[in-house]
Amino acid sequence: MFARALVPVRAQQWVQGAAAMALQIALVSEEYVELGETQVDADTVVLTGELLGRSDVHQLLPFEEREICLRADRCIFVPFGSRESGVRAAEVALPLARHLGMKVLFYHTTWHQPGLDSSIPDAHMCEDAKGILEQLKKMGHEGQVAFEYQIELAADVLEGIILAALVHKASLIVTARGTMVRIGSYAERLSGGPVPVLICAQEEGS
Amino acid sequence: MKRFFHSPYTVMGVVLVMYLIKVTAKLGIGMRVHSPMITGDGWHNVADIFEALMVIGVIFFSRLPASDSYPLGRKNIESLFSVLVGVGLALAACSVIWSSISGAIALSAGAPAGVLISWEFAPWVMGVTLGSALLSMGVSRYQIKIGRDSGHEALVADGEETRSDGRIELATFIGVCGEYFFHSPWIEYPFALIVAYLMFKTAWEIFNRGWGALMKRSIGLGHEQQIRLLVEDLPGVVEVDEIKTFRTGSKVILILKVLTRQDSRINRLLKKAMAVHIAQYLRSEEFEDGDFFIRFDEPDPERFRRAVAVHTYRGNLEITRELDTADAVMICDIEHGRVVRATRHECDLSYDDRMARVHWFRDLLVQKRAVELVVFEERTEFGLIDAHMLKRCGIKLTNAAGRDPVIYGL
């Protein structure tokens, strides 16, 4: 679990929610001002009002939500693609879900496979994405976390993620930056809100 | 095949067949045994055939698509039909009560019972009345189910009327049995009164439902409150500013005005998610169908002016520790919690005359209608004096969380 949280701009109201996530809050005013240069531990999550230009820290953007909603009908939402970013997000999301007693929803939206008539989204998944899904299922079972998964054929990936998160009443989207993405990371584009998002830190060297 | 049996037209076809069977059987047997009661009931069923044809017409008309002239469709014709059925059923209940009371009085005065039929025809008479009752009950269930599934209020209302007919027929059957087996034709009358009560109850339900839709009555404050909570529960929604609900036919019309600070793309997704959640809720509450009109607006920007006391230290702008050490104040116009405009106001007075500087800043803040002044640390002796003085002018002194003005959007 995260050791502590730095609380910068306009995120103070989430302190209560962060406490529920077993975060020790570091409300030292200078820290966020200096955060641009500060070295932080790998298990520190930064509560922030805006996306920070750093990929080495977990960033939690609460937007307008006052706290993480722990109701039974809520879930932690983990979008995944055909690469390892979904697995990295799940590594953060599953312990968090277990701690909070919430279920996890793994979500994937796939591109339509040309020439395939099927309206079943699973049929359009590529082999890599299927492999990631199997890995996520295994992680869910091993972590003893209640989970579901949903595959869709959304017209737009970002809109598909946000809409599915809204429809499934996600309290938090946990995502990680893809290591190969140069422009238009979905993780970063989710920082437009409105569902609170936890963007996982990128491992050193990745 | 399933689609065929779930079509409202198929249901009404079954209803027409039922009435044809009833008319043939009742008129045939009624005339044979010279029973005015059975024959009269047969002619009543002839009238029901015309009513069934009217239901078919109402369903056809209500299914016409919405147009520029009828933006919400023509579903309300079903509500009008329901009101008419409700009134008709109430009148029929009055008629049953009148017949029962007058029949009971006549019987007690020694008049012969209504049905005096020989045992030779007893099985036919009983068969027709009981068969007719069971047929009505069965077909009414089919009508009500398909009516609810397909959202046709007229079909439901007609089904409920058919069920009432079945109850009357059952009371008649009990009366016939009472006459044959116990020589107690009066048994029919108390049963008929119970049936009349049920008819009134059904008539009120049908009338009330139709009337509510015609008058655009709300679907209920409790439902509106639940929908409000569902929508306000979505991330990004500040509040539901306006909610109006009513029904047109069986269809729920919902008009919502939602306040958010999101852009149009997110609002579009929010609208879709709201529609999913509201439709789920309405289905769980046994509403059949719905059209939602959702529009978005920004919440009140909560405009105010904040002053930030600043000075330049080693080339960097910093929030000052106390008011008198500030070079200047930044007067910031705040909307939605963000700075939308900021102006810098330099103080040229000497640093030696602390009170003069403080008064200059105070007067400036009052003139600019600032309600808050931000300094880095107000808990010094001077700071407390400043706070007290500013408070008297309606200005709150706020302790900044850091020295970097970027925290306050500068």
Side-chain angles (χ1 to χ4, degrees):
Chain A
M1 198 48 57
F2 305 115
R4 62 177 191 152
L6 301 177
V7 186
V9 189
R10 295 199 315 278
Q12 280 84 346
Q13 69 266 34
W14 253 59
V15 169
Q16 199 183 343
M21 292 162 68
L23 295 168
Q24 293 170 19
I25 308 302
L27 246 177
V28 182
S29 58
E30 280 92 348
E31 275 187 295
Y32 67 86
V33 180
E34 303 298 334
L35 191 67
E37 304 297 329
T38 306
Q39 286 295 313
V40 291
D41 302 331
D43 54 358
T44 296
V45 61
V46 179
L47 275 162
T48 174
E50 284 159 11
L51 190 69
L52 305 173
R54 290 179 55 161
S55 57
D56 61 328
V57 289
H58 298 302
Q59 298 184 38
L60 178 53
L61 294 102
F63 306 116
E64 294 184 13
E65 299 309 293
R66 291 191 178 278
E67 58 187 20
I68 185 164
C69 182
L70 301 174
R71 281 207 320 262
D73 62 339
R74 297 298 194 109
C75 68
I76 290 181
F77 191 89
V78 182
F80 68 95
S82 57
R83 300 217 158 257
E84 84 307 331
S85 59
V87 176
R88 283 193 285 118
E91 282 168 357
V92 174
L94 289 168
L96 190 62
R98 192 172 52 204
H99 178 80
L100 298 175
M102 296 176 81
K103 69 175 179 192
V104 171
L105 180 74
F106 297 118
Y107 173 85
H108 177 73
T109 176
T110 181
W111 291 75
H112 193 276
Q113 189 180 322
L116 185 62
D117 257 353
S118 174
S119 59
I120 301 165
D122 303 44
H124 295 268
M125 280 176 85
C126 68
E127 289 308 311
D128 287 346
K130 284 178 186 170
I132 297 288
L133 177 60
E134 288 309 311
Q135 210 174 329
L136 292 174
K137 285 185 196 172
K138 194 177 163 204
M139 287 169 75
H141 288 305
E142 283 173 0
Q144 295 177 319
V145 176
F147 71 89
E148 289 169 20
Y149 66 91
Q150 190 190 349
I151 315 297
E152 268 189 357
L153 273 166
D156 178 88
V157 176
L158 185 70
E159 289 191 1
I161 292 171
I162 296 172
L163 182 59
L166 289 169
V167 167
H168 292 282
K169 298 184 178 177
S171 289
L172 185 68
I173 298 175
V174 181
T175 183
R177 292 180 180 87
T179 50
M180 297 173 76
V181 182
R182 294 294 172 265
I183 298 172
S185 156
Y186 292 127
E188 288 175 6
R189 288 168 70 192
L190 284 169
S191 66
V195 185
V197 60
L198 173 60
I199 301 175
C200 303
Q202 218 154 357
E203 283 164 27
E204 230 173 285
S206 62
Chain B
M1 200 64 174
K2 189 183 172 188
R3 205 171 156 187
F4 174 76
F5 285 111
H6 280 72
S7 160
Y9 295 121
T10 307
V11 178
M12 289 318 295
V14 170
V15 171
L16 281 173
V17 170
M18 175 189 77
Y19 282 132
L20 286 174
I21 293 170
K22 277 188 181 184
V23 167
T24 311
K26 285 180 185 175
L27 291 184
I29 295 294
M31 285 174 181
R32 184 79 190 272
V33 302
H34 306 291
S35 164
M37 187 188 76
I38 299 175
T39 312
D41 203 23
W43 286 117
H44 168 75
N45 287 154
V46 172
D48 285 337
I49 290 176
F50 289 104
E51 190 183 320
L53 291 171
M54 203 161 96
V55 173
I56 292 171
V58 165
I59 290 172
F60 172 79
F61 197 67
S62 74
R63 285 162 80 99
L64 290 174
S67 63
D68 290 344
S69 306
Y70 297 92
L72 297 177
R74 297 162 175 88
K75 279 273 190 187
N76 256 358
I77 193 171
E78 297 204 43
S79 305
L80 185 63
F81 180 80
S82 293
V83 168
L84 295 176
V85 168
V87 171
L89 203 55
L91 291 174
C94 291
S95 162
V96 169
I97 291 171
W98 172 251
S99 305
S100 301
I101 292 172
S102 59
I105 291 169
L107 202 64
S108 63
V115 187
L116 280 173
I117 306 160
S118 70
W119 272 99
E120 183 192 348
F121 295 109
W124 288 100
V125 172
M126 286 183 196
V128 166
T129 49
L130 181 63
S132 190
L134 294 177
L135 205 56
S136 294
M137 295 289 190
V139 171
S140 70
R141 279 176 71 101
Y142 181 37
Q143 268 185 295
I144 292 168
K145 186 189 179 320
I146 302 301
R148 287 199 173 133
D149 289 352
S150 60
H152 283 294
E153 197 181 338
L155 201 54
V156 176
D158 194 56
E160 283 170 348
E161 200 203 354
T162 309
R163 189 165 60 188
S164 287
D165 286 348
R167 284 171 181 157
I168 295 171
E169 287 159 347
L170 202 61
T172 309
F173 171 73
I174 290 166
V176 169
C177 289
E179 192 175 323
Y180 274 121
F181 296 116
F182 308 111
H183 302 288
S184 309
W186 60 268
I187 288 176
E188 180 185 358
Y189 301 124
F191 274 101
L193 287 175
I194 294 170
V195 168
Y197 164 73
L198 293 175
M199 284 169 78
F200 267 126
K201 200 163 165 266
T202 308
W204 170 247
E205 283 167 11
I206 296 171
F207 176 86
N208 192 34
R209 202 164 50 226
W211 184 254
L214 280 182
M215 294 294 113
K216 304 273 181 282
R217 188 175 59 203
S218 152
I219 62 167
L221 294 179
H223 291 307
E224 288 187 354
Q225 183 59 18
Q226 282 303 315
I227 291 170
R228 182 186 287 272
L229 290 175
L230 269 177
V231 173
E232 287 181 349
D233 199 31
L234 285 169
V237 173
V238 175
E239 73 170 303
V240 172
D241 190 44
E242 188 183 322
I243 180 165
K244 284 194 175 87
T245 60
F246 58 90
R247 288 189 308 115
T248 169
S250 59
K251 187 183 273 189
V252 174
I253 306 294
L254 170 70
I255 299 170
L256 268 183
K257 184 180 170 191
V258 181
L259 303 184
T260 76
R261 295 190 184 91
Q262 311 299 321
D263 60 26
S264 57
R265 187 184 201 192
I266 297 293
N267 281 343
R268 187 164 45 79
L269 298 174
L270 277 170
K271 189 188 275 190
K272 283 184 186 174
M274 283 171 200
V276 170
H277 290 306
I278 295 168
Q280 270 173 1
Y281 170 75
L282 290 177
R283 274 198 298 274
S284 73
E285 295 295 317
E286 298 188 349
F287 290 100
E288 284 135 24
D289 197 1
D291 269 356
F292 312 139
F293 298 89
I294 304 171
R295 64 200 164 99
F296 293 90
D297 203 352
E298 278 195 349
D300 186 275
E302 295 171 0
R303 289 189 186 90
F304 71 97
R305 272 194 172 153
R306 173 191 289 149
V308 183
V310 291
H311 71 170
T312 307
Y313 179 68
R314 292 182 185 170
N316 292 325
L317 197 67
E318 282 188 347
I319 300 175
T320 57
R321 189 168 282 278
E322 282 154 6
L323 189 53
D324 62 314
T325 56
D327 296 338
V329 286
M330 303 291 288
I331 302 286
C332 308
D333 294 358
I334 312 292
E335 287 180 14
H336 299 296
R338 289 176 182 271
V339 178
V340 294
R341 186 170 183 270
T343 51
R344 184 182 169 115
H345 301 263
E346 304 279 350
C347 178
D348 297 328
L349 296 175
S350 161
Y351 285 96
D352 297 335
D353 193 350
R354 180 182 186 279
M355 284 317 290
R357 290 179 68 81
V358 169
H359 283 139
W360 186 90
F361 281 123
R362 181 200 61 189
D363 294 344
L364 177 73
L365 265 51
V366 169
Q367 186 200 332
K368 292 291 178 188
R369 310 285 191 273
V371 296
E372 183 184 8
L373 172 69
V374 177
V375 291
F376 177 52
E377 174 61 74
E378 93 285 18
R379 295 196 188 282
T380 61
E381 189 186 343
F382 286 135
L384 290 172
I385 294 167
D386 294 346
H388 183 65
M389 183 183 66
L390 291 169
K391 196 177 171 185
R392 280 192 301 177
C393 301
I395 300 163
K396 186 179 79 171
L397 198 65
T398 300
N399 185 20
R403 301 202 77 145
D404 192 340
V406 78
I407 307 162
Y408 291 92
L410 293 170

